[in-house]
Amino acid sequence: MLETVRWITAEGKILSRCEEGVDLLPGKLRLIDQTLLPQELVFIETDDLEEIFDAILRLCVRGAPAIGCAAALGLAAVAQHIKAESIEEFTDKVQVVADRLAQSRPTAVNLFWALDKCCAHLRRCAVKSADNMRLTLIREGLEILDEDIRMCRAIGEHGRDLIQHGMGVMTHCNAGALATGDFGTALSPMYAAHEAGRSFTVYSDETRPLLQGSRLTAWELSRAGIDVVTICDNMAAQVMKEGKIDLVIVGSDRIAANGDIANKIGTYGLAILAKHHNIPFYVAAPYSTIDTSLEHGDLIPIENRDPEEVRNFGARRTAPEEVRVYNPAFDVTPHELIAGIITESGLHRPPFSFN
Amino acid sequence: MLETVRWITAEGKILSRCEEGVDLLPGKLRLIDQTLLPQELVFIETDDLEEIFDAILRLCVRGAPAIGCAAALGLAAVAQHIKAESIEEFTDKVQVVADRLAQSRPTAVNLFWALDKCCAHLRRCAVKSADNMRLTLIREGLEILDEDIRMCRAIGEHGRDLIQHGMGVMTHCNAGALATGDFGTALSPMYAAHEAGRSFTVYSDETRPLLQGSRLTAWELSRAGIDVVTICDNMAAQVMKEGKIDLVIVGSDRIAANGDIANKIGTYGLAILAKHHNIPFYVAAPYSTIDTSLEHGDLIPIENRDPEEVRNFGARRTAPEEVRVYNPAFDVTPHELIAGIITESGLHRPPFSFN
């Protein structure tokens, strides 16, 4: 499996959980620099605050679960250099580091959640030396990562049998190993079906404007030996019409109590196309994605992003500078279009009612 | 109006038809180099066979009607240098030039049609000197261009009143001035409504993989003073859901007798999304696009293009080299999804039955 976010010890041991008899201290955060994919697989290993801040800011690590893991292990890595006269001073300085990291992606809920969890844990625990506090932070970070891995695997198990031998599966954006600590969410049933020896084909939408589908999903699936075909977003309907698709699985950033889901722009259109072709449309996400305070999906705010993402591609201008651009980052798919929501707690079928 | 394809005389007069008292000979083919858009508006003026061949090959000129006009006027330009002892030798040498130009885009039906028309005309007519034959070719080329311009304007008139003040109109790819000698086909009703003083907003899909929507449609509409917003293809459903779209107008490459239409990949999906949101979906094309020998759209062959168009963008690789790509260039929209087909002969409403 891809080691998107890990802890690396001074002896070079790469960890996804605490292991008996392994020296955790000193160590570093280790992550894949996703900005270089699919051309190069390069790992960043660092315990430097500004490098970690920059890695999150520049999307070297992305995907809500992976960002949470990277922030927690990043905090633990930076904490090793913190010098303090007292336990209180140490705790305060950790908080300053956490506050700085929290500013790297101001809309990433998992980032705040993970940093808060670590700082709260530190304040609660009874350790009395700085080194013990440093160890506590590493253990807490690894616990967050391990929990994420277990979540991914459980989603994979609950969704695996949707994918049978010879099927075609469509997905959008990247809700895979590169977005989490392990098998991903939407891609986890695919990895699980592949492990079960089934062969099938994944059609991966390239997902404009940032192309996470062609750059990341196609890369990670083909690397795992899964047959994958990249298409432009506007080819999905034609591929469905040709009878190549048996089901669609996508991830989600936020799920309302009634089962409406927010996900990367293009998901809603894909769900309509799937319905038109009588293809079941599934959503896979951690249970924590369900926000029961939201009665329905229209209450989920949609972020509009920089027009320059659409006007340019790399160094090349693709639309006239003076032309207006509309660039919503997400859309909301109403529950009527969804055949099932897969979380670590099981495969939920409609009518959905989360609370 | 954009002068996508024109004749330019030695005195620098730019012509779209024969004008009384204007010296046509010598002269050159003049066209916009569309490969440089939207960054630069550069015109190519040439009477050199290989330059004209190259301009068609490299898509400096594209769009079926514009290619036909460029080939006819290109043939006339090259014919000025043809030296021959007899009328028969001259005619044979013109045919050799036409055969060469026909190889520049081997799937462009309008290219063959225009070249055949010019050569046949030359053989039929009674002129007895080489200079008269040269003039005949220029006149025939200008006649093809003028006919194209009248076709565009007629489509614009028949479609104009679909677009009322304050509306939102969606289009896909480029079936505009840059694809024809004048107002275009799908964009012609928009230019006509704009001339009638109505203000409205056009949402232009960027149209992957070659981005004709953002590079060309957005450029030509904004240059004409029409309000245009560029979106990625996968944003169309969201824009429709927000109530921003009142109608969709697209072009077509081929129309079957029952009203099924082939057009740029993504058109079929857009038609499904329009139906889901109760938005009328119109097609605009020259009447010559209707191929009554095809009973329905499934008989229209779909061209698959080079995977590298999807794997790369400019100099940048966007999908792993080893990953498979599916790149159909067109799709077929069944007539059930179409509210009307606009040709120079009028606005045809369902049930469609062309013969």
Side-chain angles (χ1 to χ4, degrees):
Chain A
M1 183 40 49
L2 276 174
E3 296 178 320
T4 303
V5 180
R6 292 292 182 266
W7 184 254
I8 182 165
T9 69
E11 286 78 36
K13 201 159 167 58
I14 295 163
L15 298 176
S16 65
R17 68 174 66 86
C18 292
E19 285 178 23
E20 205 66 46
V22 173
D23 230 349
L24 293 172
L25 203 66
K28 291 182 176 182
L29 166 67
R30 181 177 196 264
L31 46 82
I32 295 176
D33 183 350
Q34 299 189 32
T35 63
L36 302 178
L37 293 177
Q39 289 94 332
E40 285 182 278
L41 177 59
V42 173
F43 289 88
I44 296 170
E45 296 181 1
T46 176
D47 54 10
D48 180 80
L49 173 57
E50 289 312 309
E51 262 186 58
I52 296 166
F53 181 92
D54 188 59
I56 300 173
L57 176 78
R58 290 195 305 115
L59 310 186
C60 298
V61 59
R62 25 73 52 201
I67 290 174
C69 297
L73 289 173
L75 184 66
V78 176
Q80 294 172 82
H81 313 297
I82 290 177
K83 289 185 174 52
E85 305 276 319
S86 68
I87 296 300
E88 290 68 31
E89 192 190 344
F90 186 90
T91 310
D92 289 348
K93 285 186 167 175
V94 168
Q95 186 64 54
V96 171
V97 171
D99 291 346
R100 171 73 181 147
L101 285 177
Q103 290 163 23
S104 59
R105 282 287 295 277
T107 61
V109 177
N110 273 50
L111 176 67
F112 317 139
W113 168 84
L115 293 167
D116 285 351
K117 195 163 189 276
C118 294
C119 290
H121 185 74
L122 199 61
R123 279 203 198 80
R124 257 199 331 269
C125 72
V127 295
K128 291 295 168 226
S129 78
D131 260 0
N132 270 339
M133 294 192 102
R134 290 183 184 108
L135 259 181
T136 296
L137 281 172
I138 299 170
R139 288 209 182 99
E140 184 63 19
L142 284 169
E143 177 54 31
I144 287 173
L145 176 59
D146 189 40
E147 209 176 279
D148 186 57
I149 292 172
R150 280 177 280 143
M151 175 275 291
C152 290
R153 295 280 163 153
I155 287 177
E157 274 173 41
H158 295 306
R160 182 185 54 211
D161 291 345
L162 296 172
I163 303 170
Q164 295 299 323
H165 194 78
M167 278 189 170
V169 186
M170 186 171 277
T171 190
H172 190 69
C173 198
N174 177 267
L178 288 167
T180 62
D182 189 59
F183 264 14
T185 53
L187 301 193
S188 191
M190 304 177 202
Y191 286 116
H194 181 67
E195 279 193 343
R198 294 171 205 154
S199 72
F200 53 93
T201 299
V202 179
Y203 286 83
S204 162
D205 289 348
E206 64 175 10
T207 318
R208 282 282 288 154
L210 299 180
L211 300 170
Q212 294 92 338
S214 51
R215 288 194 301 108
L216 307 178
T217 295
W219 181 82
E220 68 166 86
L221 290 178
S222 72
R223 197 167 174 279
I226 296 175
D227 185 42
V228 56
V229 177
T230 293
I231 58 170
C232 296
D233 300 297
N234 65 22
M235 295 168 188
Q238 175 64 18
V239 172
M240 289 179 180
K241 189 188 193 182
E242 292 176 13
K244 293 188 165 94
I245 305 300
D246 296 284
L247 75 159
V248 180
I249 312 181
V250 299
S252 174
D253 291 88
R254 216 149 164 201
I255 300 176
N258 70 344
D260 293 351
I261 70 113
N263 191 41
K264 181 64 58 194
I265 188 74
T267 302
Y268 168 57
L270 208 59
I272 296 169
L273 298 179
K275 189 182 183 76
H276 184 86
H277 294 92
N278 289 313
I279 296 166
F281 185 89
Y282 292 94
V283 175
Y287 202 89
S288 61
T289 308
I290 300 168
D291 185 343
T292 54
S293 75
L294 298 169
E295 205 182 319
H296 55 78
D298 292 344
L299 300 170
I300 303 173
I302 303 285
E303 174 195 2
N304 280 305
R305 290 177 59 90
D306 188 349
E308 291 299 307
E309 288 183 353
V310 177
R311 279 202 200 105
N312 294 286
F313 198 99
R316 184 168 168 181
R317 178 159 293 281
T318 56
E321 201 168 348
E322 66 279 11
V323 165
R324 288 201 288 147
V325 166
Y326 183 51
N327 185 18
F330 302 98
D331 57 28
V332 172
T333 301
H335 60 89
E336 300 91 9
L337 299 174
I338 299 171
I341 297 175
I342 312 162
T343 74
E344 65 272 37
S345 76
L347 168 52
H348 309 263
R349 294 281 187 184
F352 305 110
S353 178
F354 300 108
N355 47 49
Chain B
M1 184 40 48
L2 275 174
E3 297 178 319
T4 302
V5 179
R6 291 293 183 264
W7 184 255
I8 181 166
T9 68
E11 286 78 36
K13 200 159 168 59
I14 296 163
L15 298 176
S16 65
R17 67 174 67 86
C18 292
E19 285 179 24
E20 205 67 47
V22 173
D23 230 348
L24 293 173
L25 201 66
K28 291 183 176 182
L29 166 67
R30 181 177 197 264
L31 46 82
I32 295 176
D33 183 351
Q34 299 190 31
T35 64
L36 302 177
L37 293 176
Q39 288 94 332
E40 284 181 278
L41 177 59
V42 174
F43 289 89
I44 297 171
E45 296 181 1
T46 176
D47 54 12
D48 181 81
L49 173 58
E50 290 311 310
E51 260 186 59
I52 295 166
F53 181 91
D54 188 58
I56 300 173
L57 177 78
R58 290 195 305 115
L59 311 186
C60 297
V61 59
R62 27 70 54 200
I67 290 174
C69 297
L73 290 172
L75 183 66
V78 176
Q80 293 173 84
H81 313 296
I82 290 177
K83 288 184 175 52
E85 304 277 315
S86 68
I87 296 300
E88 290 68 32
E89 192 190 344
F90 186 89
T91 310
D92 289 347
K93 284 187 167 174
V94 168
Q95 186 64 55
V96 171
V97 172
D99 291 346
R100 170 74 180 147
L101 285 177
Q103 290 163 23
S104 59
R105 281 288 294 277
T107 60
V109 178
N110 273 50
L111 177 66
F112 317 140
W113 169 83
L115 292 168
D116 286 351
K117 195 162 188 275
C118 294
C119 290
H121 186 74
L122 199 60
R123 279 201 199 82
R124 257 197 332 268
C125 72
V127 294
K128 291 297 168 221
S129 78
D131 260 1
N132 270 339
M133 294 192 102
R134 291 185 184 105
L135 260 181
T136 297
L137 281 172
I138 299 170
R139 287 208 182 99
E140 184 63 19
L142 284 169
E143 177 54 32
I144 287 174
L145 176 59
D146 189 40
E147 210 176 281
D148 187 57
I149 293 172
R150 279 177 281 142
M151 176 275 292
C152 290
R153 295 280 162 154
I155 287 177
E157 274 173 42
H158 295 306
R160 181 185 55 212
D161 291 345
L162 296 173
I163 303 170
Q164 296 298 324
H165 195 77
M167 277 190 171
V169 186
M170 186 171 278
T171 190
H172 190 69
C173 198
N174 177 267
L178 289 167
T180 63
D182 189 58
F183 264 14
T185 53
L187 301 193
S188 190
M190 304 177 202
Y191 286 116
H194 181 68
E195 278 193 345
R198 295 172 204 153
S199 72
F200 52 93
T201 299
V202 179
Y203 286 82
S204 163
D205 289 347
E206 64 175 9
T207 318
R208 281 284 286 157
L210 298 180
L211 301 169
Q212 294 92 338
S214 51
R215 288 194 300 109
L216 306 178
T217 295
W219 181 82
E220 69 167 85
L221 290 178
S222 73
R223 196 168 175 279
I226 295 176
D227 184 41
V228 57
V229 177
T230 293
I231 58 169
C232 296
D233 301 295
N234 64 23
M235 295 166 188
Q238 176 65 19
V239 172
M240 289 179 180
K241 189 187 193 182
E242 291 176 15
K244 293 187 164 94
I245 306 300
D246 297 283
L247 76 160
V248 180
I249 312 181
V250 300
S252 174
D253 291 88
R254 216 150 163 200
I255 301 176
N258 71 343
D260 294 351
I261 69 114
N263 192 41
K264 182 65 58 194
I265 189 74
T267 303
Y268 168 56
L270 208 59
I272 296 169
L273 299 179
K275 189 181 183 76
H276 184 87
H277 295 92
N278 288 314
I279 296 166
F281 185 89
Y282 292 94
V283 176
Y287 201 89
S288 61
T289 307
I290 300 169
D291 185 344
T292 53
S293 75
L294 298 170
E295 205 182 320
H296 55 78
D298 292 344
L299 300 169
I300 303 173
I302 302 286
E303 174 195 3
N304 280 304
R305 289 177 60 89
D306 188 349
E308 291 299 307
E309 287 183 355
V310 177
R311 280 203 199 104
N312 294 286
F313 198 100
R316 183 165 169 184
R317 179 160 292 282
T318 55
E321 201 168 348
E322 67 279 11
V323 165
R324 289 201 287 146
V325 166
Y326 183 52
N327 185 17
F330 301 98
D331 57 28
V332 172
T333 302
H335 60 88
E336 300 90 9
L337 299 174
I338 300 170
I341 296 175
I342 312 162
T343 74
E344 65 272 37
S345 77
L347 168 51
H348 309 264
R349 293 281 187 184
F352 305 110
S353 177
F354 300 109
N355 46 50

